[in-house]
Amino acid sequence: MPKANILVVDDEALIRWSLSERLKSDGYDVLEADTGRAAMEKLPDGVDLVLLDYRLPDTDGVTVLRKIKEFDQDILVILLTAYASVETAVEAMKLGAYHFANKPFNLDDVAATVERALETTRLRREVRQFRTNAARPYSLQRIVGGSPAVTALRHLVARVAVSPSSTVLLTGESGTGKDLVAKVIHYSSDRASRPFMNITCSALPEHLLESELFGHERGAFTDARAQKKGLLETADGGTVFLDEIGEMTAGLQAKLLRFLEEKSFKRVGGAADIRVDVRVIAATNRNLDEEVAKHQFRSDLFYRLNVLPVSMPPLRAHPEDVPLLVEYFIDAFNSEFRKRVFGATPAAYALLQSYGWPGNVRELRNVIERAMLLSDSDRLDARDFPALATAVSAGDEFELPAGGVDLEQLERSLLIQALRRSTGNQTRAGTLLGLNRDQIRYRIEKFGLTTAP
Ligand SMILES: Nc1ncnc2c1ncn2[C@@H]1O[C@H](COP(=O)(O)OP(=O)(O)OP(=O)(O)O)[C@@H](O)[C@H]1O
Ligand SMILES: [Mg+2]
């Protein structure tokens, strides 16, 4: 990641100096300005974040804030002031200030806020990148995530897409993105301009599913008043997605196998062989190996389908993707609900990342949708996810090992981890542990952690 450019605006040289020194030592490039006018002149140099004093010799911080946002909406502004009135704070936040800090400030707190603010823009930029690339409706970039698991999945999907005839078997828990991946495969392949047809094998009784898939001749059964083409015919040249293949009855399994081997089939009640060029993608959230072992699923069909296996990781196996997915869905629901939510608070991220997501990405999507519908604030906070908070605390993630634990040592270790994760900010460390700042201070002393770990 390139270094971020930070502009420090304050008329007091000492304050500018102490902030710049600290930020430079954190690895940022720092510019300085002592008036509102000088600040505006620096903006064309490419500024990512502004630390802005409220009381300036030529104007006030809120006026400068408004001008900065007019210049470039994406520049982050943290306002510093010794004269905080609630009205000013509210106005500043409305104008899009990222944060409002009181003077005198603590350098560590300011540095932590800067880091957090830049992290949010990084995420937002990454999401924007994903969205631009996703201008085509189901491009590879629709599969959001930067973890090794999801990166590997995207590579695999790309390879699968360019071998456009082989059968694909998608396996994975509910909500992991099997439908999504099936569409991405189709729309990234040479078949993209041909139909993508989709049928859920569990949704219909056997004879209806059969005639949906293979079509029927007039008079084939009581209701068959006219001849009808099946999905396989309609999708000629394209892709048929057979969802919940594990639910298919034995009789249909046999017919599907015959189609896959011969590339031809007969309509129900028909005699003629019909040839089509269709790629089949099948999906299941069952363990088909087990179904085969129990003779619930034909082994020959399983091997025929399993030419290109793609297994979808459950979300709990790649929690590092949660923030990016959260930003992605916030962005999507911002457009859908015409809202302007700017990401989530650190406490919300901590909560969302510690949850186990039994319903995977679908559950995450629903949780964000609900929070955005119900919340009025412009950043989602932990309290916008009440159901998760109780689920996390009532869960038994912390199972007592058979040999027991040293509780004091566990407490010390968790405290150190929380302080590290919040770069020494005691209030934020407290949020991670469900403690207030005094309780954190007490424990820091108790464990002799006088210097920041
Ligand atoms: N990696 C991802 N990036 C972006 N969106 C995702 C991702 N994975 C899943 N989704 C979204 O999550 C939701 C659920 O995904 P999908 O319907 O594809 O799951 P599924 O595996 O087919 O579940 P089921 O087995 O219940 O049918 C969809 O809105 C999908 O777009
Ligand atoms: Mg599905």
Side-chain angles (χ1 to χ4, degrees), residues 142-145 150 172-181 243-244 285 312 325 328-329 361-362 365:
R142 257 301 260 110
I143 306 171
V144 175
V150 174
E173 292 174 17
S174 187
T176 47
K178 297 185 294 298
D179 273 72
L180 173 64
V181 162
D243 205 359
E244 301 188 23
N285 49 30
M312 311 290 303
L325 283 162
Y328 175 75
F329 288 128
V361 183
R362 176 180 296 119
R365 181 183 186 277

Side-chain angles (χ1 to χ4, degrees), residues 91-107:
E91 198 191 348
M93 296 315 266
K94 271 201 192 131
L95 285 170
Y98 175 81
H99 193 75
F100 198 89
N102 284 324
K103 270 179 162 183
F105 49 77
N106 169 320
L107 270 182

Side-chain angles (χ1 to χ4, degrees), residues 55-71:
R55 181 168 280 193
L56 291 165
D58 55 341
T59 175
D60 67 274
V62 170
T63 308
V64 181
L65 165 66
R66 185 179 294 122
K67 286 189 186 156
I68 293 175
K69 289 287 172 180
E70 275 165 18
F71 177 82

